Amino acid sequence: MRHYVVKRPAQAVGVLWAAYTVSFFVLNLLPGDPVTAMAGAGLDSGQVDPARLAALRHEYGFDKPVLLQYADYLGRAVRGDFGDAVSTGRPVTSTVADALPQTLQLTGAALLLAVVFGGGLAVVATYTGQRWLRQLLLSLPPLGVSVPTFWVGLMLVEAFSFRLRWFPAFGNDGLRGLVLPAVTLAVPTGALVAQVLAKSLLTALDQAYVETARAKGAGRWRVHLRHALRNASLPALTVVGLLVGQLVAGSVVVETVFSRDGLGRVTAAAVTAQDIPLVQGVVVFGALIFVATNLLVDLVYPLLDPRIVVAPDRKAGFV
């Protein structure tokens, strides 16, 4: 268990480094110049004073070779310093911290809805004895996965904001303003959870240990929830960990559709302005959420199934 616990954080650090490195070089390969855009403030770049451009490039370190820039930025990032945003001049950490609460609120609510309703759909679909109802319920997750997120958001706004006027269409208006964006973000996520959990449950219900539990007199509901669901939940738990990164990425679209302040809108604006320090800060933060969630999932695995952890000398973490 000690080997398992130490190995996972080491892998998490590797993921953070890879995310930072890939994003840095991809952003540097993009055409355009963030310093010119900032100094020009919408004017033609030929009207900008070359001396002003040179001073700004020196201030942000863009006059150095790319590898030296990478080493400099990485060294400061390790200390938690991502520099100042090129587009606003504010510290990147402050910009991310200001936008963070709204995005965490949105993604947390969406994840809760996805797990509750996606998991509930899978359990009901695999428990019901009505064949037509099972087929109907199992046909819903593929539909939820295939529908574009922005389309779901627009349809929800049309129905529940413009027609019924139950919820506000735009802005960060407390709990009422959170409902439609959270549902929009939860639809594809919950559909994936339902797909994976339903398939795992159907497989688990055909296993020998389930037949043994039934032979011992266990009720149908007890067999379904206590015996089958516990083992079937492992693949679904893996998917939930992976989908956290998708939720953070999806917040860019959802916050744009619903005009919500948050990390998604900050990211969209930073990419448009090619604001490398700000984009780097957002990427690292998103990767940090992703690896932290997956690390938590990895550490929960042995509690659900102790067979996952084996002795270090057997060179494996999963069986």
Side-chain angles (χ1 to χ4, degrees), residues 56-65 69 72-73:
L56 287 172
R57 288 194 181 96
H58 179 73
E59 179 182 349
Y60 286 96
F62 294 142
D63 58 341
K64 300 178 182 178
Q69 290 183 44
D72 182 41
Y73 278 119

Side-chain angles (χ1 to χ4, degrees), residues 71-301:
D72 182 41
Y73 278 119
L74 181 61
R76 288 190 295 172
V78 170
R79 300 190 299 269
D81 178 14
F82 291 90
D84 297 332
V86 176
S87 54
T88 63
R90 294 186 60 207
V92 170
T93 51
S94 298
T95 303
V96 172
D98 290 345
L100 179 59
Q102 293 295 335
T103 298
L104 286 182
Q105 187 182 55
L106 173 60
T107 54
L111 183 62
L112 179 62
L113 291 174
V115 171
V116 170
F117 289 101
L121 177 64
V123 170
V124 173
T126 54
Y127 180 80
T128 181
Q130 301 293 328
R131 182 177 179 83
W132 68 269
L133 180 58
R134 172 180 294 188
Q135 294 301 324
L136 174 63
L137 293 177
L138 292 180
S139 67
L140 294 179
L143 179 62
V145 172
S146 61
V147 174
T149 303
F150 72 89
W151 184 86
V152 174
L154 292 175
M155 291 301 100
L156 290 175
V157 169
E158 172 67 22
F160 295 100
S161 295
F162 296 156
R163 293 185 181 273
L164 298 177
R165 301 185 183 277
W166 289 355
F167 304 104
F170 309 109
N172 301 61
D173 186 16
L175 182 61
R176 293 181 67 249
L178 181 65
V179 172
L180 295 186
V183 171
T184 301
L185 198 54
V187 166
T189 306
L192 283 172
V193 171
Q195 274 188 312
V196 174
L197 184 57
K199 184 175 181 179
S200 298
L201 272 170
L202 291 173
T203 302
L205 289 169
D206 290 333
Q207 299 300 311
Y209 67 86
V210 171
E211 295 299 328
T212 301
R214 289 170 179 162
K216 290 182 177 180
R220 187 163 173 244
W221 190 248
R222 178 184 176 88
V223 168
H224 205 85
L225 292 184
R226 182 166 182 177
H227 296 279
L229 183 59
R230 179 172 180 177
N231 290 301
S233 63
L234 291 176
L237 186 62
T238 302
V239 169
V240 169
L242 295 174
L243 288 178
V244 169
Q246 180 177 312
L247 286 172
V248 175
S251 67
V252 177
V253 176
V254 173
E255 288 178 355
T256 301
V257 170
F258 289 93
S259 297
R260 288 180 60 88
D261 295 326
L263 208 56
R265 295 189 72 185
V266 169
T267 305
V271 171
T272 301
Q274 202 177 335
D275 192 334
I276 294 178
L278 184 53
V279 174
Q280 289 270 261
V282 172
V283 167
V284 171
F285 173 75
L288 181 61
I289 293 179
F290 177 79
V291 299
T293 304
N294 281 274
L295 178 60
L296 179 61
V297 169
D298 285 342
L299 297 180
V300 169
Y301 276 154

